[in-house]
Amino acid sequence: MTSLDALVVGAGPAGIGTGLALDAVDDLYFGIMERGRIGQTFLDWPEEQTFLTPSFTGNGFGATDLNAVHFETSPAFGLGVDYPTGSQYASYLRGVVGHFSLPILDGAEVTSVTRIDDGFRVESPRGPVTTRSLVWAGGEFSDPRPPKIAGAAFSDPAGSPAAREPRSGRVVVIGGYESGIDIACHHVLAGASVTVVDGSTPWDAGRGSDPSFRLAPRSRIRLKEALATGRLALEAANATAIKRDGSGWAVGLSNGTKLRADSRPIAATGYGPGLGPVAHLFAERPDGWPELDDDDQSTIAPGLFLAGPAMRHGGLKFCFVYKFRQRFAHVARVIGERAGKDTSKLEAWRDAGMLTDDLSCCGVECAC
Ligand SMILES: Cc1cc2nc3c(=O)[nH]c(=O)nc-3n(C[C@H](O)[C@H](O)[C@H](O)COP(=O)(O)OP(=O)(O)OC[C@H]3O[C@@H](n4cnc5c(N)ncnc54)[C@H](O)[C@@H]3O)c2cc1C
């Protein structure tokens, strides 16, 4: 049985980035396991979907490309685009893996994880592995969260192929943050009349400067164009129930009114943490997200770390690459020190502005 110092599960940006930081720890024996292919989530994105965060080669002046997972790389440089599609970004990730010769085992779905004396035993169709430290980087894309309302089963998740299929007549989208506005614009441009319902009105501009709480500029531009067609309405109310209504569907709203849809309503109500086989090894915060210590480690299973968009510290959300990448080198250092290895090369990550170990500086609002 293979026995490792560290194992990373998932070869998306969080897993590959963490792998790159682990690679900078001297003499650490580690690997990455991926159930599909490198960048599988991005290969599964709808063809026309692009990043919201722009890529730009600012690396030379310390402004590392927002979508890069290592400071010596830039999707803008390698791909020649500023808003990569999913397949382009997967190609960037493959390039990074090849350049740095990262040890990745693909087609290796982790099906169960159990605690053992000094670490974890991990099962996959490729056989069991034991590891002293484990980093869960399985992403959230496979864990769409349906609305908690009666009739939720009548809705299609915004990330599903069904939600993208052509729809005529009246379309209702539940949830008005990035995915909701994206799918609404998609159907408006194809000629449908769309109503987006969300009581928290994420489309309002006055929600601070953190893109985890307000729409990205690219989405605002698309929203403006869709509104100009006259076929998009934004409703400041929550959906309370979905029912069949003759040949269509009725969506009840918190303001007492009802909307009629000619196709199944689309649920853009976010994602859960997607913890799969390690869900039992994390305690839950009151808001349902995994409880982490200051080192992004499970509070009930020391040695198990979380990387990626499901990380929460206080009110901070890490749901963009440029946010969660700030923790790759921190986690690698903690893992390296546990294994008694030299972690000094990780200081290069700090010098490049890709290591934040004091999170108190992250909540700053832009002045103008
Ligand atoms: C529609 C959409 C648009 C987005 N746009 C942006 C954007 O513009 N900019 C940005 O920064 N972020 C964006 N995000 C967020 C983006 O998804 C995340 O930043 C990124 O995908 C998360 O990276 P990750 O590595 O954590 O997860 P993923 O990219 O999902 O990678 C997880 C990997 O783990 C593998 N895996 C899962 N379970 C197992 C298992 N049991 N065994 C083995 N392997 C497993 C999966 O196959 C997958 O390859 C967007 C997200 C969505 C849904």
Side-chain angles (χ1 to χ4, degrees):
M1 186 190 313
T2 308
S3 189
L4 301 169
D5 292 320
L7 175 69
V8 180
V9 182
I16 291 171
T18 305
L20 291 167
L22 291 172
D23 199 37
V25 177
D26 266 358
D27 200 27
L28 192 82
Y29 189 38
F30 77 97
I32 303 174
M33 287 171 78
E34 163 58 48
R35 71 175 161 202
R37 290 188 286 151
I38 293 167
Q40 186 62 56
T41 293
F42 294 92
L43 294 171
D44 292 340
W45 272 19
E47 221 171 284
E48 77 274 20
Q49 180 136 0
T50 65
F51 265 59
L52 304 164
T53 43
S55 272
F56 196 82
T57 315
N59 302 37
F61 277 69
T64 303
D65 187 316
L66 284 182
N67 301 318
V69 293
H70 188 280
F71 47 90
E72 288 168 6
T73 73
S74 158
F77 175 66
L79 301 169
V81 298
D82 44 7
Y83 292 96
T85 62
S87 66
Q88 287 171 333
Y89 194 70
S91 148
Y92 157 73
L93 292 176
R94 280 196 303 276
V96 170
V97 167
H99 179 78
F100 290 94
S101 303
L102 279 188
I104 297 189
L105 192 62
D106 59 10
E109 174 159 18
V110 170
T111 49
S112 92
V113 176
T114 43
R115 288 182 80 180
I116 52 172
D117 265 357
D118 188 26
F120 302 89
R121 181 186 162 102
V122 175
E123 305 282 346
S124 87
R126 303 284 201 116
V129 176
T130 63
T131 180
R132 185 135 185 241
S133 297
L134 179 67
V135 182
W136 180 258
E140 52 181 15
F141 193 64
S142 57
D143 188 16
R145 201 159 41 183
K148 288 186 181 143
I149 58 174
F154 288 126
S155 62
D156 290 328
S160 66
R164 293 258 151 196
E165 276 169 15
R167 292 171 184 232
S168 52
R170 291 159 296 185
V171 174
V172 174
V173 176
I174 302 169
Y177 186 48
E178 295 292 358
S179 302
I181 297 303
D182 172 61
I183 196 84
C185 292
H186 166 81
H187 287 298
V188 167
L189 286 183
S193 293
V194 182
T195 304
V196 180
V197 301
D198 194 328
S200 65
T201 63
W203 49 80
D204 279 347
R207 293 171 62 93
S209 50
D210 184 343
S212 293
F213 298 95
R214 65 179 273 146
L215 290 178
R218 189 171 174 79
S219 306
R220 306 196 80 81
I221 292 166
R222 293 182 66 208
L223 180 63
K224 205 169 158 191
E225 286 166 1
L227 285 168
T229 65
R231 293 194 303 276
L232 176 63
L234 302 173
E235 183 79 49
N238 287 325
T240 52
I242 307 173
K243 280 188 189 148
R244 280 310 310 238
D245 182 17
S247 60
W249 287 261
V251 180
L253 299 184
S254 53
N255 60 13
T257 62
K258 249 186 213 167
L259 288 171
R260 202 179 136 81
D262 296 312
S263 55
R264 285 163 65 89
I266 297 172
T269 33
Y271 294 86
L275 297 176
V278 293
H280 64 293
L281 295 173
F282 283 97
E284 264 188 21
R285 301 181 358 153
D287 61 3
W289 292 92
E291 186 92 59
L292 301 176
D293 70 8
D294 290 347
D295 296 324
D296 305 345
Q297 191 171 205
S298 162
T299 51
I300 56 170
L304 171 62
F305 298 81
L306 182 64
M311 276 197 300
R312 300 282 186 279
H313 284 286
L316 290 178
K317 292 186 184 180
F318 291 74
C319 55
F320 288 97
V321 173
Y322 79 90
K323 291 183 169 189
F324 62 69
R325 73 182 183 188
Q326 294 304 115
R327 304 294 286 172
F328 298 157
H330 181 80
V331 165
R333 187 176 55 210
V334 176
I335 290 175
E337 284 170 358
R338 285 185 90 215
K341 308 290 183 184
D342 179 4
T343 61
S344 53
K345 284 191 201 137
L346 287 167
E347 282 307 299
W349 289 66
R350 188 191 305 283
D351 296 345
M354 265 183 73
L355 168 55
T356 304
D357 34 28
D358 174 8
L359 295 172
S360 63
C361 59
C362 300
V364 175
E365 291 290 338
C366 296
C368 56

